[in-house]
Amino acid sequence: MAGIAARGGRVRYTILAMLFLVSIINYADRSILAITAPLLAKDLAIDPLELGIVFSAFGWAYVIAQLPGGWALDRFGTKPVYLAGITLWSIFTAAQGTVLAFGASAAVAVLFGLRFLVGFAEGPSFPGNARLVAAWFPASERGTASAIFNASQYFATVLFAPIMGWITFHFGWPYTFYFMGALGLVAALAWTVTIYSPRTHPRVSDAEIDFIAAGGALVDMDRNAAARPPAIPGETMANLKVLLSNRTLWGVYIGQFAINTLTYFFITWFPVYLVQERGMTIVKAGLFASAPAICGFLGGVLGGFWSDWLLRRGHSLTIARKVPVVSGMLVSLAIVACNYVDGNALVLIFMSIAFFGKGIGALGWAVIADVAPRKTAGLSGGLFNMVGNLSSILTPIIIGGILKGTGSFKLALVFVACNALLAAFAYLFIAGKIARIEEPAPGGRGAQPAPAPAAA
């Protein structure tokens, strides 16, 4: 209890727990098509390339939604914008279970459209996570907090892949979509009574607010967001110019694009790999996918702890963020070893090592929380997520094309490994110093310094 008292309280951990829960559902809804794909593709009579295009529908919309979603977060606040997103993506997820009612030919187009709408509705989610972490956590805890919500992608597989595989096998794939849509609506209700900005939370203490503010938390980020005056003409473009001209941000953008290639292999084609390349049943594939997911989750939490530990030990923010990222990406190269083994046990080991490394290196959101200008955290997160999630469009299509052309996943795994190398290169040689960047003066007339968090 003394440690909690020294940190002013623990309300921020309830915020993080809610982010983690909602992000688990978020990623489960993204990966649901991968679990149902073997049976769904058979019912709709689509080939691997067509399936890859359907997989990519989410990515097209998700990328498009990033800048408007980030702007909406900055303009109206995190809670209402995020709540609208949870509600809509859950409705669209449930609706995917109805596509067979349109007939086999139209069903593919309807499925693509609904996946597109899910992606658009999820657009503000992770920029919203980053805003809440920046508002509620000091710099010395931000790496761990960001790693925890980012590790939800693995925990989503651990928790829901076996459940979705079981529902698909016993009841049919439409019921998997119905189940996840209903669960999302329940999460939306929980969001309304859990999430607040620091200054408006009914249970937060002054001591906790003082503690996190002293450590660099942006506690007033959402205060009176809806009452802000209209934007000054040219202000948004001036903000974008600052973000797009920063070398460190471009290193982080490219790194996130490459890291997300590993993510989208895992949540789109990995279950298909287990069924088609390794001959597993859908139920077994769902269970098998849990082990690499657990390792990815553990790696994600470890990466955040490692980064914050380095910072507390006196290392610069640059060292504290870059060392885990580069190390994790090099460990992820173990995925290529799956091309040279026959037994499923060895595949399990190498995939688990690869996703453990990927988890360690997934600190991009912590970096964005560290460097984003104070008044444009939502826009900064949206731009970062937009560039990073271009891989959500390209990865499913490229791997689908590889499968159609070669009939094997071997080159696909090499492609994924090359992106791990690209991420390490981007952080080592493109990204410079990790520090909060300057923001433009009102009207876009130059720039003014934004003080860095105390711990940075």
Side-chain angles (χ1 to χ4, degrees), residues 369-417:
D370 291 327
V371 304
R374 293 175 180 272
K375 295 180 182 179
T376 57
L379 187 65
S380 302
L383 183 59
F384 163 79
N385 216 24
M386 183 186 76
V387 177
N389 276 278
L390 289 173
S391 56
S392 70
I393 299 171
L394 297 176
T395 301
I397 296 176
I398 290 172
I399 293 178
I402 291 172
L403 291 180
K404 186 173 183 179
T406 67
S408 170
F409 273 87
K410 292 186 182 299
L411 285 180
L413 298 187
V414 172
F415 166 73
V416 173

Side-chain angles (χ1 to χ4, degrees), residues 215-285:
L218 310 184
V219 295
D220 293 312
M221 183 188 296
D222 268 351
R223 197 174 189 181
N224 301 321
R228 288 173 186 162
I232 299 171
E235 183 178 15
T236 299
M237 290 306 299
N239 290 332
L240 279 173
K241 183 178 179 181
V242 170
L243 298 176
L244 289 171
S245 62
N246 186 276
R247 173 181 166 177
T248 291
L249 285 179
W250 271 110
V252 178
Y253 296 159
I254 294 170
Q256 189 70 1
F257 171 88
I259 292 170
N260 275 349
T261 297
L262 282 76
T263 299
Y264 280 98
F265 165 74
F266 192 69
I267 66 175
T268 57
W269 284 109
F270 183 54
V272 181
Y273 167 77
L274 296 176
V275 172
Q276 293 186 0
E277 192 95 347
R278 295 293 169 176
M280 298 182 188
T281 66
I282 292 176
V283 173
K284 186 175 181 180

Side-chain angles (χ1 to χ4, degrees), residues 122-150:
E122 287 194 10
S125 56
F126 271 67
N129 288 354
R131 290 182 100 254
L132 284 168
V133 166
W136 275 98
F137 287 86
S140 61
E141 297 177 358
R142 202 173 290 149
T144 301
S146 298
I148 287 174
F149 81 67
N150 197 49

Side-chain angles (χ1 to χ4, degrees), residues 180-394:
M180 291 306 304
L183 192 62
L185 292 176
V186 172
L189 292 176
W191 180 270
T192 62
V193 298
T194 304
I195 296 298
Y196 297 88
S197 62
R199 298 288 189 188
T200 63
H201 200 291
R203 295 184 299 278
V204 72
S205 66
D206 290 339
E208 184 167 10
I209 291 178
D210 290 344
F211 171 76
I212 64 177
L218 310 184
V219 295
D220 293 312
M221 183 188 296
D222 268 351
R223 197 174 189 181
N224 301 321
R228 288 173 186 162
I232 299 171
E235 183 178 15
T236 299
M237 290 306 299
N239 290 332
L240 279 173
K241 183 178 179 181
V242 170
L243 298 176
L244 289 171
S245 62
N246 186 276
R247 173 181 166 177
T248 291
L249 285 179
W250 271 110
V252 178
Y253 296 159
I254 294 170
Q256 189 70 1
F257 171 88
I259 292 170
N260 275 349
T261 297
L262 282 76
T263 299
Y264 280 98
F265 165 74
F266 192 69
I267 66 175
T268 57
W269 284 109
F270 183 54
V272 181
Y273 167 77
L274 296 176
V275 172
Q276 293 186 0
E277 192 95 347
R278 295 293 169 176
M280 298 182 188
T281 66
I282 292 176
V283 173
K284 186 175 181 180
L287 293 171
F288 194 95
S290 296
I294 291 170
C295 290
F297 171 75
L298 294 174
V301 175
L302 176 61
F305 277 123
W306 185 13
S307 179
D308 288 346
W309 178 83
L310 288 171
L311 192 60
R312 289 193 295 269
R313 295 282 291 180
H315 294 282
S316 70
L317 196 59
T318 302
I319 294 296
R321 300 307 190 221
K322 287 188 177 185
V323 168
V325 172
V326 174
S327 300
M329 290 300 99
L330 295 179
V331 172
S332 292
L333 298 178
I335 196 170
V336 176
C338 294
N339 286 338
Y340 303 100
V341 298
D342 294 323
N344 286 341
L346 289 174
V347 170
L348 179 65
I349 290 171
F350 287 123
M351 282 290 181
S352 297
I353 292 171
F355 284 98
F356 178 76
K358 191 265 179 186
I360 290 175
L363 286 174
W365 282 109
V367 176
I368 287 299
D370 291 327
V371 304
R374 293 175 180 272
K375 295 180 182 179
T376 57
L379 187 65
S380 302
L383 183 59
F384 163 79
N385 216 24
M386 183 186 76
V387 177
N389 276 278
L390 289 173
S391 56
S392 70
I393 299 171
L394 297 176

Side-chain angles (χ1 to χ4, degrees), residues 11-141:
V11 169
R12 63 190 181 280
Y13 303 128
T14 66
I15 300 294
L16 182 59
M18 191 68 220
L19 290 184
F20 184 64
L21 174 63
V22 170
S23 297
I24 288 173
I25 296 172
N26 180 303
Y27 264 98
D29 287 346
R30 299 186 198 193
S31 64
I32 187 172
L33 188 59
I35 298 295
T36 59
L39 294 182
L40 181 148
K42 183 179 179 181
D43 287 348
L44 300 184
I46 56 178
D47 65 29
L49 181 57
E50 291 172 320
L51 181 59
I53 292 172
V54 173
F55 276 141
S56 76
F58 173 93
W60 288 104
Y62 193 65
V63 167
I64 292 169
Q66 292 308 301
L67 291 185
W71 173 86
L73 289 164
D74 288 333
R75 182 64 180 86
F76 302 109
T78 306
K79 183 173 182 174
V81 174
Y82 208 136
L83 176 62
I86 300 169
T87 303
L88 290 173
W89 92 54
S90 300
I91 292 171
F92 296 141
T93 294
Q96 291 171 72
T98 69
V99 297
L100 278 178
F102 296 90
S105 57
V108 177
V110 174
L111 181 61
F112 183 97
L114 289 171
R115 291 289 295 174
F116 188 93
L117 291 173
V118 170
F120 197 85
E122 287 194 10
S125 56
F126 271 67
N129 288 354
R131 290 182 100 254
L132 284 168
V133 166
W136 275 98
F137 287 86
S140 61
E141 297 177 358

